[in-house]
Amino acid sequence: MPAQPEQNLRVPGPTPLPAAVRDALSQPMISHRSPEYEAMQAEVLANLQHFFQTEHPVLLFSASGTGGLEAAVVNMLSPGDRVLAVTMGAFGDRFAQIAAAYGADVRRLEIPWGQAAEPHAIADALAADPHTRAILLTCNETSTGVLNDMPAVVRAVDAATNRPLLLVDAISALGAVDLPMDRLGIDVLITGSQKAWMAPPGLTMIGVGPRGWEAQVQARMPRVYFDFARQCKAQDHHQDAWTPAVSTLFALQAGLRLMRAEGLPAIVARHARVAALAQQGFEGLGMPLVAAAGYRSPTVTAAYVPANMDANSLLRYLRRVHNVVLAGGQGHLEGKIVRLGHLGWVEDPQVTGALHAMEDALQQGL
Ligand SMILES: Cc1ncc(COP(=O)(O)O)c(C=O)c1O
């Protein structure tokens, strides 16, 4: 069969795999209880700590990002604990839903979709409810393309009388943004392999700080597979509690090597550059951005399609005619917006190529 021209995969994860990562995936399988595996895990964990900017353990679980959110909830909380869920889109809603499903007493701070979390509103919510045990926050809301001002949010949390635990979903941010876990004092920080890390889906990586470890001992929500203590003990010997997604680790190892070679400042600058291209491109096409100015994500841009057009027809045309794959909207934005992912292995031509295809689609008046 002739090779397909390579697709311009521009969803906000899974992201395209560089050649070195694809090569890594074709390695022969190894035992996960072998010295080869232990050496690989040691390297991967050291590189993850570098990008999490933490000296504390980063735990590996073979699961999608949602598994990481669930792991954070069940290891930090007990049924009945008061939780403030800051929701500004589909993924904030999911975090809140998981906590509620395990019996947390969830209070929601609902931010209109497209806006960022307002630090004063968080401070007010905490002042009104000083027994709040934890805050659930999405760093980068992938459904709207909003990046929160994390230092400002952390200042509001730190100022609370009883400083709650801060659990941060950075699934579509970490590895592309400068998010220093230890300096900010984030207690649990979650990401996923298929995003900025240039690896396939299959692993969630979770940083746990000192307050998180204290909370873990007291937390009474049920957990077996996602038990932080069990995985941490195994990782002390570069082992895993369960059989890990070995091939995804091969890929993550290769992705992290590429990232170390490029360096965090250059990675952050590249994401800022392609994000600016995406934002200007959509606006130039007359497609207003969903995210408020000042809070636009470096990893995903969401834009409204013209009122007389259906986003899903546009997406089908882009795929069929241009081999460009964008994502649609979620929740009430379904059919109204498109989302362009620009994280991980991405340079200017992939973004400008997708925008040219969009220009053609708009001219077709679909
Ligand atoms: C911010 C955010 N949180 C959670 C998730 C869920 O991750 P997964 O689809 O890997 O379960 C995603 C996935 O897109 C995300 O972007």
mmCIF file of all heavy atoms in Angstrom, residues 10 12 88 113-114 140-147 275 278-283 286-293 295-305 311 326-330 333-334 336-342 355 358:
data_model
loop_
_atom_site.group_PDB
_atom_site.id
_atom_site.type_symbol
_atom_site.label_atom_id
_atom_site.label_comp_id
_atom_site.label_asym_id
_atom_site.label_seq_id
_atom_site.Cartn_x
_atom_site.Cartn_y
_atom_site.Cartn_z
ATOM 1 N N ARG A 10 -3.218 18.040 14.435
ATOM 2 C CA ARG A 10 -3.217 19.279 15.209
ATOM 3 C C ARG A 10 -4.350 19.271 16.226
ATOM 4 O O ARG A 10 -5.067 20.250 16.394
ATOM 5 C CB ARG A 10 -3.360 20.503 14.272
ATOM 6 C CG ARG A 10 -2.205 20.710 13.309
ATOM 7 C CD ARG A 10 -1.117 21.652 13.849
ATOM 8 N NE ARG A 10 -0.561 21.219 15.092
ATOM 9 C CZ ARG A 10 0.516 20.422 15.254
ATOM 10 N NH1 ARG A 10 1.189 19.988 14.240
ATOM 11 N NH2 ARG A 10 0.949 20.090 16.434
ATOM 12 N N PRO A 12 -5.129 18.803 20.391
ATOM 13 C CA PRO A 12 -4.297 19.060 21.588
ATOM 14 C C PRO A 12 -3.978 17.771 22.345
ATOM 15 O O PRO A 12 -4.226 17.660 23.537
ATOM 16 C CB PRO A 12 -5.164 20.020 22.403
ATOM 17 C CG PRO A 12 -6.561 19.763 21.960
ATOM 18 C CD PRO A 12 -6.520 19.260 20.557
ATOM 19 N N MET A 88 -13.468 25.925 34.780
ATOM 20 C CA MET A 88 -13.523 26.931 33.707
ATOM 21 C C MET A 88 -13.641 26.263 32.359
ATOM 22 O O MET A 88 -13.307 26.838 31.337
ATOM 23 C CB MET A 88 -12.271 27.809 33.791
ATOM 24 C CG MET A 88 -11.022 27.005 34.107
ATOM 25 S SD MET A 88 -9.645 28.005 34.593
ATOM 26 C CE MET A 88 -8.818 28.152 33.018
ATOM 27 N N TRP A 113 -16.682 29.971 30.639
ATOM 28 C CA TRP A 113 -15.742 29.357 29.692
ATOM 29 C C TRP A 113 -15.071 30.455 28.857
ATOM 30 O O TRP A 113 -15.755 31.345 28.336
ATOM 31 C CB TRP A 113 -16.466 28.368 28.775
ATOM 32 C CG TRP A 113 -16.917 27.114 29.469
ATOM 33 C CD1 TRP A 113 -17.385 27.006 30.756
ATOM 34 C CD2 TRP A 113 -16.944 25.793 28.916
ATOM 35 N NE1 TRP A 113 -17.692 25.693 31.031
ATOM 36 C CE2 TRP A 113 -17.442 24.923 29.923
ATOM 37 C CE3 TRP A 113 -16.612 25.248 27.681
ATOM 38 C CZ2 TRP A 113 -17.601 23.555 29.718
ATOM 39 C CZ3 TRP A 113 -16.771 23.885 27.468
ATOM 40 C CH2 TRP A 113 -17.252 23.055 28.477
ATOM 41 N N GLY A 114 -13.766 30.395 28.758
ATOM 42 C CA GLY A 114 -13.022 31.413 28.000
ATOM 43 C C GLY A 114 -12.314 32.395 28.931
ATOM 44 O O GLY A 114 -11.395 33.096 28.520
ATOM 45 N N ASN A 140 -4.188 24.612 32.455
ATOM 46 C CA ASN A 140 -4.437 25.006 31.063
ATOM 47 C C ASN A 140 -5.717 24.289 30.640
ATOM 48 O O ASN A 140 -5.721 23.069 30.498
ATOM 49 C CB ASN A 140 -3.249 24.539 30.212
ATOM 50 C CG ASN A 140 -3.325 24.986 28.772
ATOM 51 O OD1 ASN A 140 -3.149 26.159 28.471
ATOM 52 N ND2 ASN A 140 -3.590 24.060 27.869
ATOM 53 N N GLU A 141 -6.810 25.055 30.484
ATOM 54 C CA GLU A 141 -8.103 24.439 30.154
ATOM 55 C C GLU A 141 -8.149 24.174 28.648
ATOM 56 O O GLU A 141 -8.338 25.087 27.848
ATOM 57 C CB GLU A 141 -9.236 25.354 30.642
ATOM 58 C CG GLU A 141 -10.638 24.843 30.442
ATOM 59 C CD GLU A 141 -10.893 23.375 30.787
ATOM 60 O OE1 GLU A 141 -11.085 23.017 31.974
ATOM 61 O OE2 GLU A 141 -10.920 22.588 29.832
ATOM 62 N N THR A 142 -7.966 22.916 28.303
ATOM 63 C CA THR A 142 -7.825 22.517 26.897
ATOM 64 C C THR A 142 -9.115 22.732 26.108
ATOM 65 O O THR A 142 -9.084 22.845 24.891
ATOM 66 C CB THR A 142 -7.410 21.033 26.837
ATOM 67 O OG1 THR A 142 -6.461 20.785 27.877
ATOM 68 C CG2 THR A 142 -6.764 20.675 25.520
ATOM 69 N N SER A 143 -10.251 22.780 26.784
ATOM 70 C CA SER A 143 -11.512 22.940 26.053
ATOM 71 C C SER A 143 -11.731 24.377 25.585
ATOM 72 O O SER A 143 -12.557 24.617 24.706
ATOM 73 C CB SER A 143 -12.697 22.485 26.918
ATOM 74 O OG SER A 143 -12.793 23.270 28.087
ATOM 75 N N THR A 144 -11.010 25.329 26.168
ATOM 76 C CA THR A 144 -11.203 26.736 25.791
ATOM 77 C C THR A 144 -9.905 27.425 25.369
ATOM 78 O O THR A 144 -9.942 28.537 24.843
ATOM 79 C CB THR A 144 -11.765 27.537 26.990
ATOM 80 O OG1 THR A 144 -10.840 27.405 28.088
ATOM 81 C CG2 THR A 144 -13.130 27.035 27.412
ATOM 82 N N GLY A 145 -8.753 26.789 25.651
ATOM 83 C CA GLY A 145 -7.470 27.414 25.318
ATOM 84 C C GLY A 145 -7.095 28.536 26.272
ATOM 85 O O GLY A 145 -6.492 29.528 25.868
ATOM 86 N N VAL A 146 -7.426 28.349 27.552
ATOM 87 C CA VAL A 146 -7.096 29.354 28.578
ATOM 88 C C VAL A 146 -5.982 28.823 29.488
ATOM 89 O O VAL A 146 -6.072 27.701 29.997
ATOM 90 C CB VAL A 146 -8.336 29.689 29.438
ATOM 91 C CG1 VAL A 146 -7.944 30.501 30.669
ATOM 92 C CG2 VAL A 146 -9.362 30.454 28.615
ATOM 93 N N LEU A 147 -4.959 29.639 29.672
ATOM 94 C CA LEU A 147 -3.883 29.316 30.616
ATOM 95 C C LEU A 147 -4.026 30.217 31.832
ATOM 96 O O LEU A 147 -4.019 31.448 31.712
ATOM 97 C CB LEU A 147 -2.512 29.547 29.968
ATOM 98 C CG LEU A 147 -1.310 29.284 30.884
ATOM 99 C CD1 LEU A 147 -1.047 27.789 31.048
ATOM 100 C CD2 LEU A 147 -0.043 29.958 30.330
ATOM 101 N N ALA A 275 2.017 29.669 19.289
ATOM 102 C CA ALA A 275 0.702 30.082 19.805
ATOM 103 C C ALA A 275 0.328 31.457 19.244
ATOM 104 O O ALA A 275 -0.821 31.682 18.839
ATOM 105 C CB ALA A 275 0.712 30.121 21.326
ATOM 106 N N ALA A 278 -0.877 31.074 15.766
ATOM 107 C CA ALA A 278 -2.239 30.515 15.724
ATOM 108 C C ALA A 278 -3.269 31.597 16.067
ATOM 109 O O ALA A 278 -4.286 31.748 15.382
ATOM 110 C CB ALA A 278 -2.355 29.344 16.695
ATOM 111 N N GLN A 279 -2.976 32.365 17.116
ATOM 112 C CA GLN A 279 -3.933 33.402 17.538
ATOM 113 C C GLN A 279 -4.117 34.447 16.432
ATOM 114 O O GLN A 279 -5.244 34.797 16.060
ATOM 115 C CB GLN A 279 -3.432 34.067 18.825
ATOM 116 C CG GLN A 279 -3.476 33.139 20.033
ATOM 117 C CD GLN A 279 -2.483 33.537 21.123
ATOM 118 O OE1 GLN A 279 -1.961 34.652 21.134
ATOM 119 N NE2 GLN A 279 -2.214 32.621 22.027
ATOM 120 N N GLN A 280 -2.983 34.938 15.895
ATOM 121 C CA GLN A 280 -3.074 35.962 14.842
ATOM 122 C C GLN A 280 -3.751 35.377 13.608
ATOM 123 O O GLN A 280 -4.541 36.046 12.935
ATOM 124 C CB GLN A 280 -1.682 36.458 14.464
ATOM 125 C CG GLN A 280 -1.054 37.349 15.530
ATOM 126 C CD GLN A 280 0.480 37.326 15.460
ATOM 127 O OE1 GLN A 280 1.065 36.893 14.470
ATOM 128 N NE2 GLN A 280 1.124 37.788 16.514
ATOM 129 N N GLY A 281 -3.439 34.130 13.309
ATOM 130 C CA GLY A 281 -3.997 33.488 12.116
ATOM 131 C C GLY A 281 -5.515 33.402 12.192
ATOM 132 O O GLY A 281 -6.211 33.803 11.255
ATOM 133 N N PHE A 282 -6.046 32.912 13.300
ATOM 134 C CA PHE A 282 -7.510 32.800 13.425
ATOM 135 C C PHE A 282 -8.155 34.183 13.365
ATOM 136 O O PHE A 282 -9.159 34.379 12.688
ATOM 137 C CB PHE A 282 -7.893 32.094 14.730
ATOM 138 C CG PHE A 282 -7.832 30.594 14.665
ATOM 139 C CD1 PHE A 282 -7.059 29.873 15.564
ATOM 140 C CD2 PHE A 282 -8.548 29.890 13.707
ATOM 141 C CE1 PHE A 282 -7.001 28.478 15.519
ATOM 142 C CE2 PHE A 282 -8.510 28.490 13.647
ATOM 143 C CZ PHE A 282 -7.730 27.789 14.554
ATOM 144 N N GLU A 283 -7.561 35.123 14.089
ATOM 145 C CA GLU A 283 -8.168 36.462 14.090
ATOM 146 C C GLU A 283 -8.134 37.058 12.692
ATOM 147 O O GLU A 283 -9.084 37.713 12.254
ATOM 148 C CB GLU A 283 -7.472 37.352 15.122
ATOM 149 C CG GLU A 283 -7.849 36.913 16.533
ATOM 150 C CD GLU A 283 -7.358 37.839 17.643
ATOM 151 O OE1 GLU A 283 -6.218 38.328 17.544
ATOM 152 O OE2 GLU A 283 -8.121 38.055 18.587
ATOM 153 N N GLY A 286 -10.945 36.137 10.665
ATOM 154 C CA GLY A 286 -12.248 36.578 11.176
ATOM 155 C C GLY A 286 -12.867 35.578 12.137
ATOM 156 O O GLY A 286 -14.094 35.563 12.295
ATOM 157 N N MET A 287 -12.049 34.761 12.763
ATOM 158 C CA MET A 287 -12.560 33.774 13.732
ATOM 159 C C MET A 287 -12.165 34.216 15.145
ATOM 160 O O MET A 287 -10.997 34.085 15.538
ATOM 161 C CB MET A 287 -11.982 32.384 13.424
ATOM 162 C CG MET A 287 -12.396 31.863 12.041
ATOM 163 S SD MET A 287 -11.590 30.288 11.624
ATOM 164 C CE MET A 287 -12.348 29.159 12.786
ATOM 165 N N PRO A 288 -13.100 34.734 15.922
ATOM 166 C CA PRO A 288 -12.749 35.229 17.257
ATOM 167 C C PRO A 288 -12.247 34.104 18.160
ATOM 168 O O PRO A 288 -12.714 32.960 18.069
ATOM 169 C CB PRO A 288 -14.069 35.792 17.798
ATOM 170 C CG PRO A 288 -14.994 35.850 16.633
ATOM 171 C CD PRO A 288 -14.528 34.852 15.617
ATOM 172 N N LEU A 289 -11.322 34.431 19.030
ATOM 173 C CA LEU A 289 -10.755 33.435 19.948
ATOM 174 C C LEU A 289 -11.685 33.252 21.147
ATOM 175 O O LEU A 289 -12.340 34.199 21.600
ATOM 176 C CB LEU A 289 -9.376 33.888 20.416
ATOM 177 C CG LEU A 289 -8.362 34.130 19.287
ATOM 178 C CD1 LEU A 289 -7.029 34.600 19.862
ATOM 179 C CD2 LEU A 289 -8.157 32.875 18.452
ATOM 180 N N VAL A 290 -11.713 32.030 21.654
ATOM 181 C CA VAL A 290 -12.552 31.747 22.823
ATOM 182 C C VAL A 290 -11.900 32.321 24.084
ATOM 183 O O VAL A 290 -12.575 32.857 24.964
ATOM 184 C CB VAL A 290 -12.752 30.217 22.976
ATOM 185 C CG1 VAL A 290 -13.572 29.895 24.227
ATOM 186 C CG2 VAL A 290 -13.426 29.632 21.726
ATOM 187 N N ALA A 291 -10.577 32.239 24.164
ATOM 188 C CA ALA A 291 -9.869 32.639 25.390
ATOM 189 C C ALA A 291 -9.717 34.156 25.476
ATOM 190 O O ALA A 291 -9.442 34.823 24.469
ATOM 191 C CB ALA A 291 -8.487 31.982 25.422
ATOM 192 N N ALA A 292 -9.888 34.654 26.666
ATOM 193 C CA ALA A 292 -9.730 36.093 26.912
ATOM 194 C C ALA A 292 -8.270 36.506 26.688
ATOM 195 O O ALA A 292 -7.346 35.724 26.959
ATOM 196 C CB ALA A 292 -10.145 36.400 28.347
ATOM 197 N N ALA A 293 -8.101 37.749 26.206
ATOM 198 C CA ALA A 293 -6.749 38.288 25.992
ATOM 199 C C ALA A 293 -5.991 38.258 27.312
ATOM 200 O O ALA A 293 -6.564 38.479 28.383
ATOM 201 C CB ALA A 293 -6.842 39.707 25.462
ATOM 202 N N TYR A 295 -4.705 35.608 28.638
ATOM 203 C CA TYR A 295 -4.708 34.256 29.229
ATOM 204 C C TYR A 295 -4.720 33.183 28.143
ATOM 205 O O TYR A 295 -5.232 32.095 28.353
ATOM 206 C CB TYR A 295 -5.931 34.092 30.144
ATOM 207 C CG TYR A 295 -5.890 35.049 31.305
ATOM 208 C CD1 TYR A 295 -6.608 36.243 31.260
ATOM 209 C CD2 TYR A 295 -5.101 34.784 32.416
ATOM 210 C CE1 TYR A 295 -6.539 37.148 32.303
ATOM 211 C CE2 TYR A 295 -5.033 35.675 33.464
ATOM 212 C CZ TYR A 295 -5.754 36.859 33.404
ATOM 213 O OH TYR A 295 -5.693 37.752 34.436
ATOM 214 N N ARG A 296 -4.176 33.521 26.973
ATOM 215 C CA ARG A 296 -4.258 32.577 25.859
ATOM 216 C C ARG A 296 -3.169 31.524 25.962
ATOM 217 O O ARG A 296 -2.019 31.834 26.246
ATOM 218 C CB ARG A 296 -4.223 33.348 24.540
ATOM 219 C CG ARG A 296 -5.518 34.141 24.410
ATOM 220 C CD ARG A 296 -5.626 34.960 23.171
ATOM 221 N NE ARG A 296 -6.943 35.596 23.177
ATOM 222 C CZ ARG A 296 -7.228 36.751 22.620
ATOM 223 N NH1 ARG A 296 -6.282 37.414 21.964
ATOM 224 N NH2 ARG A 296 -8.448 37.244 22.692
ATOM 225 N N SER A 297 -3.589 30.330 25.734
ATOM 226 C CA SER A 297 -2.720 29.169 25.981
ATOM 227 C C SER A 297 -1.597 29.066 24.962
ATOM 228 O O SER A 297 -1.820 29.278 23.768
ATOM 229 C CB SER A 297 -3.586 27.911 25.908
ATOM 230 O OG SER A 297 -2.765 26.778 25.803
ATOM 231 N N PRO A 298 -0.403 28.676 25.414
ATOM 232 C CA PRO A 298 0.675 28.409 24.460
ATOM 233 C C PRO A 298 0.553 27.043 23.791
ATOM 234 O O PRO A 298 1.333 26.733 22.897
ATOM 235 C CB PRO A 298 1.936 28.473 25.339
ATOM 236 C CG PRO A 298 1.472 28.130 26.703
ATOM 237 C CD PRO A 298 0.031 28.570 26.814
ATOM 238 N N THR A 299 -0.405 26.220 24.202
ATOM 239 C CA THR A 299 -0.460 24.838 23.685
ATOM 240 C C THR A 299 -1.696 24.535 22.845
ATOM 241 O O THR A 299 -1.690 23.564 22.093
ATOM 242 C CB THR A 299 -0.399 23.822 24.849
ATOM 243 O OG1 THR A 299 -1.533 24.019 25.700
ATOM 244 C CG2 THR A 299 0.882 23.949 25.648
ATOM 245 N N VAL A 300 -2.762 25.313 22.996
ATOM 246 C CA VAL A 300 -3.990 25.048 22.227
ATOM 247 C C VAL A 300 -4.736 26.365 22.021
ATOM 248 O O VAL A 300 -4.816 27.180 22.936
ATOM 249 C CB VAL A 300 -4.884 23.995 22.926
ATOM 250 C CG1 VAL A 300 -5.214 24.374 24.348
ATOM 251 C CG2 VAL A 300 -6.167 23.731 22.141
ATOM 252 N N THR A 301 -5.245 26.553 20.799
ATOM 253 C CA THR A 301 -6.029 27.756 20.505
ATOM 254 C C THR A 301 -7.414 27.332 20.039
ATOM 255 O O THR A 301 -7.545 26.506 19.131
ATOM 256 C CB THR A 301 -5.333 28.603 19.414
ATOM 257 O OG1 THR A 301 -4.047 28.993 19.915
ATOM 258 C CG2 THR A 301 -6.141 29.855 19.090
ATOM 259 N N ALA A 302 -8.429 27.896 20.684
ATOM 260 C CA ALA A 302 -9.820 27.611 20.322
ATOM 261 C C ALA A 302 -10.399 28.856 19.665
ATOM 262 O O ALA A 302 -10.204 29.972 20.165
ATOM 263 C CB ALA A 302 -10.622 27.250 21.574
ATOM 264 N N ALA A 303 -11.108 28.666 18.542
ATOM 265 C CA ALA A 303 -11.670 29.817 17.822
ATOM 266 C C ALA A 303 -13.075 29.485 17.338
ATOM 267 O O ALA A 303 -13.367 28.335 16.978
ATOM 268 C CB ALA A 303 -10.774 30.165 16.632
ATOM 269 N N TYR A 304 -13.959 30.502 17.354
ATOM 270 C CA TYR A 304 -15.335 30.332 16.886
ATOM 271 C C TYR A 304 -15.364 30.273 15.367
ATOM 272 O O TYR A 304 -14.658 31.048 14.696
ATOM 273 C CB TYR A 304 -16.195 31.510 17.346
ATOM 274 C CG TYR A 304 -16.475 31.487 18.830
ATOM 275 C CD1 TYR A 304 -15.731 32.273 19.711
ATOM 276 C CD2 TYR A 304 -17.481 30.677 19.356
ATOM 277 C CE1 TYR A 304 -15.968 32.242 21.078
ATOM 278 C CE2 TYR A 304 -17.731 30.650 20.719
ATOM 279 C CZ TYR A 304 -16.975 31.431 21.575
ATOM 280 O OH TYR A 304 -17.218 31.393 22.916
ATOM 281 N N VAL A 305 -16.194 29.415 14.824
ATOM 282 C CA VAL A 305 -16.390 29.406 13.372
ATOM 283 C C VAL A 305 -17.493 30.428 13.061
ATOM 284 O O VAL A 305 -18.309 30.743 13.938
ATOM 285 C CB VAL A 305 -16.767 27.991 12.849
ATOM 286 C CG1 VAL A 305 -15.682 26.981 13.212
ATOM 287 C CG2 VAL A 305 -18.114 27.530 13.346
ATOM 288 N N ALA A 311 -19.029 23.772 12.595
ATOM 289 C CA ALA A 311 -17.624 23.423 12.859
ATOM 290 C C ALA A 311 -17.322 21.990 12.429
ATOM 291 O O ALA A 311 -16.248 21.701 11.906
ATOM 292 C CB ALA A 311 -17.321 23.606 14.342
ATOM 293 N N LEU A 326 -7.946 18.799 13.132
ATOM 294 C CA LEU A 326 -8.135 19.677 14.304
ATOM 295 C C LEU A 326 -9.187 19.039 15.211
ATOM 296 O O LEU A 326 -9.862 18.096 14.806
ATOM 297 C CB LEU A 326 -8.630 21.056 13.840
ATOM 298 C CG LEU A 326 -7.581 22.131 13.560
ATOM 299 C CD1 LEU A 326 -6.649 21.724 12.444
ATOM 300 C CD2 LEU A 326 -8.251 23.453 13.194
ATOM 301 N N ALA A 327 -9.353 19.597 16.396
ATOM 302 C CA ALA A 327 -10.381 19.101 17.319
ATOM 303 C C ALA A 327 -11.580 20.047 17.287
ATOM 304 O O ALA A 327 -11.447 21.232 16.953
ATOM 305 C CB ALA A 327 -9.821 19.017 18.732
ATOM 306 N N GLY A 328 -12.728 19.509 17.662
ATOM 307 C CA GLY A 328 -13.939 20.331 17.758
ATOM 308 C C GLY A 328 -14.134 20.836 19.178
ATOM 309 O O GLY A 328 -13.243 20.731 20.031
ATOM 310 N N GLY A 329 -15.309 21.369 19.419
ATOM 311 C CA GLY A 329 -15.616 21.915 20.741
ATOM 312 C C GLY A 329 -16.202 20.851 21.652
ATOM 313 O O GLY A 329 -16.651 19.796 21.203
ATOM 314 N N GLN A 330 -16.192 21.137 22.944
ATOM 315 C CA GLN A 330 -16.773 20.226 23.942
ATOM 316 C C GLN A 330 -17.925 20.943 24.641
ATOM 317 O O GLN A 330 -17.973 22.184 24.651
ATOM 318 C CB GLN A 330 -15.710 19.821 24.966
ATOM 319 C CG GLN A 330 -14.648 18.907 24.375
ATOM 320 C CD GLN A 330 -13.364 18.911 25.192
ATOM 321 O OE1 GLN A 330 -12.625 19.881 25.189
ATOM 322 N NE2 GLN A 330 -13.093 17.832 25.884
ATOM 323 N N LEU A 333 -19.931 24.210 23.536
ATOM 324 C CA LEU A 333 -19.189 24.771 22.390
ATOM 325 C C LEU A 333 -19.101 23.782 21.224
ATOM 326 O O LEU A 333 -18.544 24.100 20.176
ATOM 327 C CB LEU A 333 -17.782 25.199 22.835
ATOM 328 C CG LEU A 333 -17.752 26.366 23.823
ATOM 329 C CD1 LEU A 333 -16.313 26.717 24.197
ATOM 330 C CD2 LEU A 333 -18.448 27.591 23.233
ATOM 331 N N GLU A 334 -19.663 22.603 21.397
ATOM 332 C CA GLU A 334 -19.645 21.588 20.337
ATOM 333 C C GLU A 334 -20.352 22.144 19.097
ATOM 334 O O GLU A 334 -21.448 22.709 19.201
ATOM 335 C CB GLU A 334 -20.367 20.341 20.852
ATOM 336 C CG GLU A 334 -19.821 19.056 20.302
ATOM 337 C CD GLU A 334 -20.590 18.576 19.088
ATOM 338 O OE1 GLU A 334 -21.821 18.581 19.164
ATOM 339 O OE2 GLU A 334 -19.941 18.216 18.072
ATOM 340 N N LYS A 336 -19.531 24.716 17.472
ATOM 341 C CA LYS A 336 -19.364 26.172 17.356
ATOM 342 C C LYS A 336 -17.917 26.608 17.222
ATOM 343 O O LYS A 336 -17.633 27.718 16.761
ATOM 344 C CB LYS A 336 -19.950 26.866 18.600
ATOM 345 C CG LYS A 336 -21.428 26.624 18.765
ATOM 346 C CD LYS A 336 -22.000 27.529 19.845
ATOM 347 C CE LYS A 336 -23.498 27.315 19.957
ATOM 348 N NZ LYS A 336 -23.917 26.930 21.284
ATOM 349 N N ILE A 337 -17.005 25.759 17.691
ATOM 350 C CA ILE A 337 -15.589 26.153 17.672
ATOM 351 C C ILE A 337 -14.733 25.034 17.076
ATOM 352 O O ILE A 337 -15.167 23.881 16.968
ATOM 353 C CB ILE A 337 -15.038 26.480 19.091
ATOM 354 C CG1 ILE A 337 -15.027 25.211 19.985
ATOM 355 C CG2 ILE A 337 -15.825 27.593 19.761
ATOM 356 C CD1 ILE A 337 -14.139 25.352 21.226
ATOM 357 N N VAL A 338 -13.507 25.437 16.717
ATOM 358 C CA VAL A 338 -12.481 24.440 16.411
ATOM 359 C C VAL A 338 -11.321 24.696 17.370
ATOM 360 O O VAL A 338 -11.153 25.811 17.876
ATOM 361 C CB VAL A 338 -11.983 24.543 14.947
ATOM 362 C CG1 VAL A 338 -13.094 24.177 13.977
ATOM 363 C CG2 VAL A 338 -11.411 25.920 14.647
ATOM 364 N N ARG A 339 -10.538 23.640 17.621
ATOM 365 C CA ARG A 339 -9.371 23.802 18.496
ATOM 366 C C ARG A 339 -8.130 23.286 17.770
ATOM 367 O O ARG A 339 -8.153 22.183 17.213
ATOM 368 C CB ARG A 339 -9.571 23.041 19.816
ATOM 369 C CG ARG A 339 -10.646 23.680 20.702
ATOM 370 C CD ARG A 339 -10.887 22.880 21.966
ATOM 371 N NE ARG A 339 -11.268 21.523 21.676
ATOM 372 C CZ ARG A 339 -10.840 20.451 22.337
ATOM 373 N NH1 ARG A 339 -10.005 20.613 23.358
ATOM 374 N NH2 ARG A 339 -11.236 19.249 22.009
ATOM 375 N N LEU A 340 -7.122 24.113 17.766
ATOM 376 C CA LEU A 340 -5.858 23.790 17.101
ATOM 377 C C LEU A 340 -4.814 23.521 18.187
ATOM 378 O O LEU A 340 -4.494 24.408 18.996
ATOM 379 C CB LEU A 340 -5.455 24.992 16.242
ATOM 380 C CG LEU A 340 -4.067 25.026 15.599
ATOM 381 C CD1 LEU A 340 -3.884 23.902 14.601
ATOM 382 C CD2 LEU A 340 -3.843 26.354 14.893
ATOM 383 N N GLY A 341 -4.300 22.309 18.198
ATOM 384 C CA GLY A 341 -3.258 21.969 19.170
ATOM 385 C C GLY A 341 -1.892 22.353 18.621
ATOM 386 O O GLY A 341 -1.593 22.102 17.451
ATOM 387 N N HIS A 342 -1.089 22.993 19.452
ATOM 388 C CA HIS A 342 0.278 23.333 19.033
ATOM 389 C C HIS A 342 1.209 23.075 20.220
ATOM 390 O O HIS A 342 1.754 23.996 20.809
ATOM 391 C CB HIS A 342 0.391 24.776 18.514
ATOM 392 C CG HIS A 342 -0.509 25.771 19.205
ATOM 393 N ND1 HIS A 342 -0.222 26.300 20.433
ATOM 394 C CD2 HIS A 342 -1.690 26.308 18.834
ATOM 395 C CE1 HIS A 342 -1.181 27.137 20.782
ATOM 396 N NE2 HIS A 342 -2.097 27.157 19.832
ATOM 397 N N LEU A 355 -3.583 26.711 9.173
ATOM 398 C CA LEU A 355 -4.362 27.952 8.978
ATOM 399 C C LEU A 355 -4.672 28.184 7.495
ATOM 400 O O LEU A 355 -5.764 28.652 7.151
ATOM 401 C CB LEU A 355 -3.600 29.145 9.571
ATOM 402 C CG LEU A 355 -3.521 29.132 11.105
ATOM 403 C CD1 LEU A 355 -2.442 30.090 11.598
ATOM 404 C CD2 LEU A 355 -4.880 29.507 11.709
ATOM 405 N N MET A 358 -7.498 26.084 6.705
ATOM 406 C CA MET A 358 -8.718 26.675 7.266
ATOM 407 C C MET A 358 -9.224 27.803 6.364
ATOM 408 O O MET A 358 -10.432 27.938 6.119
ATOM 409 C CB MET A 358 -8.413 27.195 8.675
ATOM 410 C CG MET A 358 -9.567 27.843 9.375
ATOM 411 S SD MET A 358 -10.960 26.731 9.624
ATOM 412 C CE MET A 358 -10.372 25.745 10.977
#
